[in-house]
Amino acid sequence: MAAQRHLQLVPRSDDAQQPAAVDAPEVTASAPRTRSGRAILKFDRVGFAYGSRTILDNVSFEVEQGEIVSLLGPSGCGKTTILNLIAGFLMPTGGFCLAGGREIVGPGPDRGVVFQSAALFDWMTVAENIAFSLRCAHKGRRERDAIAKEMGALVGLGDRLDAYPYELSGGMRQRVGLARVLAAKPTVMLMDEPFSALDVQTREALQEELLRIQQHTGATIVFITHSIDEAIFLGHRVFLASSLATGTFEEFTVALPQPRDDPENRLHPEFIRLREIIYRRMRNPGAPASRTGAP
């Protein structure tokens, strides 16, 4: 199916003007994910500041149920601040952050965070680490064991449940951290560069595994990354920010074939086209994104 995508500059203030979309050449790709209109996350004119330093100003967007949104941009642009606001670790200094239609007033079991470091308990086995949130919720031993076994198998560690973190590779430890969040069955998963410290092969394998898990669970994911390739491969949409203090960012819709976890998607013409566009935007935001006619 031929799909024609457009680069969209999303205004985030009332007086901002949206430039006319520029037609891109047709590229053979699957249709983009159908938008359901059911927003699970919503930022409504959100601002955040440390004293006199503005980090976010008048930022608005929605994330739909079951969607993966990649947040891409340089260090210090406000990506992690958005993640912390969704998690409830920070409170906005302006506007409203909503999850499931309710204002976010603090951390909650509906939102799980996977950090850059797996942050495992060294004295606990894989199964005990996975079941830790269930233990905190006073779930019974039988239920904890069953869920730990289920989530361990889901991330490919069904045969390592009795191992300790020091016996695992870096990729395996990240899988445990992911399984621990999945065990709590959150509606939204927030991922802050969880694969950044891994080698390329392990990183790509975990990206593919994450897509399979998301397909299985239907979770909504907000994924922070500095990698253009990772943002495109994982995301249904990519938000590119240079500085959210101005309230604007660029939004790209990703239309890659199903199954999305197919490693061949990294060689697909749509992937390559979007990579060029985003690369040029990141290197020089005011310059044309392509020398070949793409926006």
Side-chain angles (χ1 to χ4, degrees), residues 280-294:
R280 294 188 185 282
R281 288 288 195 242
M282 290 185 72
R283 290 299 301 262
N284 190 353
S290 173
R291 295 174 183 169
T292 60

Side-chain angles (χ1 to χ4, degrees), residues 4 68 138 160 165 234:
Q4 189 173 36
I68 304 177
H138 307 292
R160 303 303 303 273
L234 292 176

Side-chain angles (χ1 to χ4, degrees), residues 64-138:
E64 293 189 352
Q65 186 172 352
E67 186 177 23
I68 304 177
V69 170
S70 300
L71 298 182
L72 178 67
S75 297
C77 72
K79 303 186 305 297
T80 299
T81 300
I82 285 180
L83 199 82
N84 286 333
L85 288 167
I86 298 172
F89 300 151
L90 298 174
M91 294 294 106
T93 53
F96 300 93
C97 304
L98 306 175
R102 297 181 178 181
E103 186 174 0
I104 297 171
V105 295
D110 59 321
R111 287 154 285 132
V113 183
V114 181
F115 298 100
Q116 292 183 33
S117 169
L120 304 180
F121 298 108
D122 291 337
W123 59 92
M124 292 184 182
T125 65
V126 166
E128 290 168 341
N129 269 285
I130 293 173
F132 180 74
S133 64
L134 305 174
R135 181 179 175 185
C136 293
H138 307 292

Side-chain angles (χ1 to χ4, degrees), residues 15-16 23 26 40 74 110 135 156 180-181 200 208 251 271:
D15 58 352
D23 286 340
E26 285 199 339
I40 193 71
D110 59 321
R135 181 179 175 185
R180 181 172 57 190
V181 171
V200 173
E208 294 156 19
E251 176 184 328
F271 183 98

Side-chain angles (χ1 to χ4, degrees), residues 5-266:
R5 305 309 314 150
H6 304 287
L7 176 65
Q8 181 183 13
L9 179 60
V10 183
R12 298 302 170 198
S13 59
D14 293 338
D15 58 352
Q17 294 182 350
Q18 181 171 341
V22 180
D23 286 340
E26 285 199 339
V27 179
T28 301
S30 70
R33 180 180 183 272
T34 301
R35 305 295 299 279
S36 67
R38 297 190 300 271
I40 193 71
L41 294 173
K42 182 176 180 179
F43 270 39
D44 184 7
R45 297 164 294 174
V46 170
F48 185 81
Y50 290 109
S52 60
R53 184 188 174 200
T54 298
I55 308 299
L56 308 178
D57 182 43
N58 209 28
V59 173
S60 296
F61 63 83
E62 295 183 355
V63 178
E64 293 189 352
Q65 186 172 352
E67 186 177 23
I68 304 177
V69 170
S70 300
L71 298 182
L72 178 67
S75 297
C77 72
K79 303 186 305 297
T80 299
T81 300
I82 285 180
L83 199 82
N84 286 333
L85 288 167
I86 298 172
F89 300 151
L90 298 174
M91 294 294 106
T93 53
F96 300 93
C97 304
L98 306 175
R102 297 181 178 181
E103 186 174 0
I104 297 171
V105 295
D110 59 321
R111 287 154 285 132
V113 183
V114 181
F115 298 100
Q116 292 183 33
S117 169
L120 304 180
F121 298 108
D122 291 337
W123 59 92
M124 292 184 182
T125 65
V126 166
E128 290 168 341
N129 269 285
I130 293 173
F132 180 74
S133 64
L134 305 174
R135 181 179 175 185
C136 293
H138 307 292
K139 301 295 184 182
R141 177 65 180 268
R142 182 175 296 180
E143 182 179 359
R144 297 200 309 266
D145 289 348
I147 293 176
K149 183 177 180 180
E150 177 188 357
M151 296 304 155
L154 187 61
V155 300
L157 292 175
D159 60 345
R160 303 303 303 273
L161 293 176
D162 294 328
Y164 287 88
Y166 69 85
E167 300 177 286
L168 305 177
S169 67
M172 288 179 177
R173 287 194 291 270
Q174 284 301 102
R175 285 190 173 103
V176 177
L178 177 58
R180 181 172 57 190
V181 171
L182 290 168
K185 293 182 167 55
T187 307
V188 178
M189 293 178 60
L190 307 170
M191 309 190 75
D192 189 4
E193 299 185 75
F195 309 145
S196 60
L198 304 175
D199 64 87
V200 173
Q201 286 181 318
T202 302
R203 182 172 185 163
E204 291 188 351
L206 285 178
Q207 290 167 4
E208 294 156 19
E209 189 165 322
L210 177 61
L211 289 173
R212 288 192 290 271
I213 290 170
Q214 191 273 340
Q215 184 70 24
H216 177 79
T217 63
T220 303
I221 299 176
V222 178
F223 193 102
I224 289 181
T225 181
H226 285 100
S227 167
I228 299 173
D229 287 20
E230 186 168 65
I232 297 171
F233 186 74
L234 292 176
H236 297 115
R237 287 185 292 159
V238 177
F239 292 172
L240 174 60
S242 56
S243 174
L244 292 169
T246 63
T248 61
F249 56 89
E250 290 182 285
E251 176 184 328
F252 303 84
T253 300
V254 181
L256 290 174
Q258 296 291 343
R260 280 295 303 269
D261 63 298
D262 184 352
E264 290 296 312
N265 275 346
R266 296 186 178 92

